[in-house]
Amino acid sequence: MKTETQTPKIVVVGAGWAGLGATHHLAKNGYDVTLLEAGPYPGGLVAGWKTSGGRSVEVGIHGFWYPYHNIFSLVKELNLNPFTPWTRSAQYSPAGLEVESPIFQDLPPLPTPLGTFIYTQFKRLPLSDRLSALPLLYSLIDFDNSDEAWQRYDSVTARELFKQYGVTKRLYDDAFNAMLLVGLFAPGEQCSAAAALGMLYYFILGHQPNFDVVWCRGTVGEMIFKPWVENIENLGGKVLTKQRVTDLIVDDNGKATGVVCEEQIFEADAVIFAVGISGMKKILAGSEALQSRQEFRNINNLGGVDVLGIRLWFDRKILIPRASNACFGFDKTTGWTFFDLNALHDEFRDEAGTVLEVDFYHANQFLPLSDEEIIKIVQGYLATCIPEFRAAEIIDQSVVRVREGVTHFFPGSYQYLLSAKTSFDNVFMSGDWIVNRHGSWSQEKAYVTGLEAANLVVDKFKLGEKANIIPVEEDEEHIKFFRTINQSMREVGKSIFPNIWLP
């Protein structure tokens, strides 16, 4: 008699980078996998959508940085060509142009972090201020992305860290805080020092080319997510939109057996959650099963940062020196960016006028304003950076407000973040807010955690092969040396002094 083995049913919740990554790998390995997305299209706000007039809109233009090795590998596997060439960027303040960044990989390599400091073209920041960052290098050596390092630095604000190491006020305001506002989406006094060090090292300081970036030549939804979903469906995976998950079904043995979407139940042998913090809070609010576990109740201690996305169509072509620009100093606690979509997106390359994307992070104070009030402020800010915007007329516009749209890594948040494995034997987590040791950030981290969750499913059911996750590039030799010395000194200190002090 031949016995048929039932294919494990896997339900993935959330169709962003993490959810699509997990679903794709499991579908390739023969699992009966269903991906549930609450929104009308995979990817949600990351993916973008069309207005009633057929124009593309998305909230936040998403860069793809040099160390995004896993995403670049995926794009190659899907045989896609979605990206611009490597681009230069600029920073503005109310005083005008402050910084221009070169394409670092084209310049002679210098030991980290010298290339970043020497090749970056600061227009106003004096050398004496830049040199005040040198003592801060110890914290970059000491923070090795380990659990112990996160516990040491997470309870401290980024601002306090920079102050402790003697960074000047001007360097903090014009460089470090400016990077935090558009990198961690909040001012330094509201950012975990651990998150700040991890983000700065990964995107900027770890290796000279890390800050090099390409952009999607259209919305991420059209250029990447749409063909990716088609590939998943061709492999037998199911991607269902407008499916808002409201509960998790758990049996008497504490094993998840299904996912509830209002009136519909999807049976599951394992579940992967791949939603952001705000989405997870909504699911938690209606789920007694999740509320029964302390780790999930702790999610209520976490939060997100408000985002404001504005797309503007102007009546004339305006010369914008760099396609991507970050801005600081216009509002004390808000960072913003603007992008020349004529230069970045194929759709707008031949547009008669200028098409601009402007994104505000930590935009709490702007969200209650009317669209007209927001547009007036934005045009004034743009004219401060590039005076030609003052006389230009806006002929079309889109304003999108997103409450808690991106993860907030505030001081003390690390203790509440979840790991990929949960106390449920067959429930796994993924997303850019999940604790892992890979070292990546943002979209790359979300995708990596999706693959890690898929690998846990493969481990559990012994079906298929694990995803090959490309590690972050190794530290340069001098960084390895100093970290080894630092770790040895810490071990000696532990052997001499009792472990009674605050981490």
Side-chain angles (χ1 to χ4, degrees):
M1 296 287 291
K2 183 179 179 180
T3 303
E4 291 188 2
T5 302
Q6 185 178 4
T7 304
K9 293 182 178 179
I10 315 300
V11 174
V12 181
V13 182
W17 283 105
L20 286 167
T23 303
H24 185 218
H25 184 72
L26 294 174
K28 284 194 294 184
N29 282 271
Y31 286 84
D32 180 357
V33 58
T34 301
L35 175 58
L36 305 175
E37 165 59 39
Y41 35 76
L45 294 171
V46 173
W49 64 95
K50 294 285 188 181
T51 67
S52 57
R55 296 188 173 198
S56 296
V57 176
E58 59 189 323
V59 177
I61 297 294
H62 304 279
F64 295 81
W65 271 262
Y66 185 87
Y68 278 19
H69 302 304
N70 289 281
I71 286 181
F72 290 141
S73 176
L74 166 72
V75 166
K76 184 177 180 181
E77 178 187 342
L78 296 175
N79 198 27
L80 302 177
N81 181 30
F83 298 129
T84 67
W86 300 103
T87 64
R88 298 182 62 184
S89 58
Q91 281 189 327
Y92 290 87
S93 77
L97 179 64
E98 296 284 351
V99 183
E100 285 191 292
S101 299
I103 298 175
F104 289 95
Q105 61 195 284
D106 292 345
L107 298 170
L110 297 173
T112 185
L114 293 180
T116 304
F117 283 103
I118 292 174
Y119 293 138
T120 302
Q121 299 161 15
F122 294 93
K123 304 298 181 182
R124 291 183 177 83
L125 190 61
L127 178 61
S128 58
D129 287 278
R130 281 178 269 163
L131 290 175
S132 74
L134 290 177
L136 188 66
L137 292 178
Y138 170 72
S139 65
L140 289 165
I141 297 293
D142 190 45
F143 183 81
D144 58 4
N145 199 44
S146 65
D147 179 70
E148 184 181 27
W150 270 88
Q151 291 188 43
R152 275 201 305 274
Y153 285 95
D154 185 60
S155 59
V156 182
T157 73
R159 187 183 187 282
E160 284 299 313
L161 178 75
F162 297 133
K163 179 181 177 182
Q164 174 185 341
Y165 282 95
V167 168
T168 67
K169 181 179 186 303
R170 183 161 185 182
L171 179 63
Y172 174 76
D173 289 339
D174 292 5
F176 288 118
N177 197 44
M179 287 185 280
L180 294 175
L181 285 168
V182 296
L184 288 181
F185 314 117
E189 66 270 18
Q190 297 182 32
C191 289
S192 152
L197 290 171
M199 184 273 294
L200 290 172
Y201 191 75
Y202 178 71
F203 281 117
I204 301 173
L205 300 175
H207 301 277
Q208 183 174 302
N210 278 15
F211 195 61
D212 289 347
V213 62
V214 295
W215 308 89
C216 220
R217 294 185 292 106
T219 66
V220 175
E222 285 294 322
M223 303 296 292
I224 300 177
F225 283 7
K226 184 178 179 180
W228 196 8
V229 168
E230 290 173 356
N231 185 275
I232 289 170
E233 291 174 336
N234 289 336
L235 291 166
K238 296 178 283 292
V239 180
L240 307 179
T241 57
K242 299 181 181 179
Q243 300 291 333
R244 187 171 297 279
V245 171
T246 55
D247 203 356
L248 182 72
I249 299 175
V250 179
D251 65 16
D252 294 338
N253 297 317
K255 176 184 175 183
T257 60
V259 169
V260 180
C261 289
E262 297 177 347
E263 303 298 324
Q264 190 172 2
I265 295 175
F266 293 87
E267 294 181 357
D269 295 303
V271 176
I272 297 174
F273 284 108
V275 296
I277 289 171
S278 59
M280 201 65 215
K281 281 183 176 180
K282 292 175 183 176
I283 297 171
L284 177 65
S287 174
E288 291 185 8
L290 293 176
Q291 291 173 15
S292 69
R293 306 292 174 106
Q294 180 69 46
E295 73 213 276
F296 284 96
R297 293 197 301 272
N298 281 344
I299 293 173
N300 286 317
N301 291 312
L302 299 172
V305 174
D306 295 341
V307 178
L308 181 64
I310 304 108
R311 185 154 295 188
L312 302 173
W313 284 261
F314 290 89
D315 64 343
R316 66 196 69 183
K317 278 285 176 64
I318 296 171
L319 177 62
I320 303 172
R322 303 292 172 215
S324 62
N325 306 274
C327 305
F328 64 91
F330 292 79
D331 295 277
K332 189 174 181 180
T333 61
T334 301
W336 64 284
T337 55
F338 69 94
F339 300 89
D340 179 4
L341 298 190
N342 301 84
L344 298 179
H345 284 195
D346 294 348
E347 177 182 352
F348 303 122
R349 197 168 301 279
D350 298 323
E351 192 92 2
T354 299
V355 185
L356 215 64
E357 173 74 15
V358 184
D359 299 313
F360 284 76
Y361 299 99
H362 203 265
N364 318 48
Q365 69 271 30
F366 293 110
L367 265 59
L369 300 177
S370 68
D371 288 2
E372 291 73 20
E373 291 172 312
I374 290 171
I375 296 298
K376 183 178 180 181
I377 291 171
V378 169
Q379 189 163 12
Y381 285 1
L382 289 171
T384 301
C385 301
I386 299 175
E388 287 80 0
F389 277 109
R390 196 175 309 278
E393 181 182 346
I394 296 171
I395 58 176
D396 200 359
Q397 64 191 51
S398 169
V399 178
V400 182
R401 302 162 177 81
V402 186
R403 293 283 184 188
E404 298 193 4
V406 291
T407 305
H408 185 191
F409 294 97
F410 60 86
S413 60
Y414 180 72
Q415 61 189 310
Y416 305 120
L417 301 176
L418 294 187
S419 299
K421 289 184 177 181
T422 72
S423 59
F424 294 103
D425 177 63
N426 62 338
V427 175
F428 307 105
M429 305 298 299
S430 60
D432 74 343
W433 58 284
I434 300 305
V435 174
N436 78 344
R437 302 273 80 95
H438 184 261
S440 52
W441 279 85
S442 194
Q443 296 176 104
E444 174 80 353
K445 181 183 177 183
Y447 177 52
V448 165
T449 59
L451 296 181
E452 289 175 338
N455 285 348
L456 292 173
V457 170
V458 172
D459 263 343
K460 181 173 180 59
F461 295 102
K462 310 303 179 188
L463 172 64
E465 297 181 356
K466 288 186 177 182
N468 176 36
I469 299 173
I470 303 170
V472 170
E473 188 176 355
E474 288 188 0
D475 294 328
E476 294 184 8
E477 291 302 320
H478 61 291
I479 299 295
K480 286 183 185 178
F481 173 77
F482 286 123
R483 281 187 168 166
T484 300
I485 297 297
N486 182 65
Q487 185 60 33
S488 298
M489 293 178 65
R490 282 197 169 276
E491 293 300 325
V492 170
K494 287 180 183 178
S495 66
I496 298 174
F497 299 103
N499 188 23
I500 61 175
W501 312 110
L502 284 170

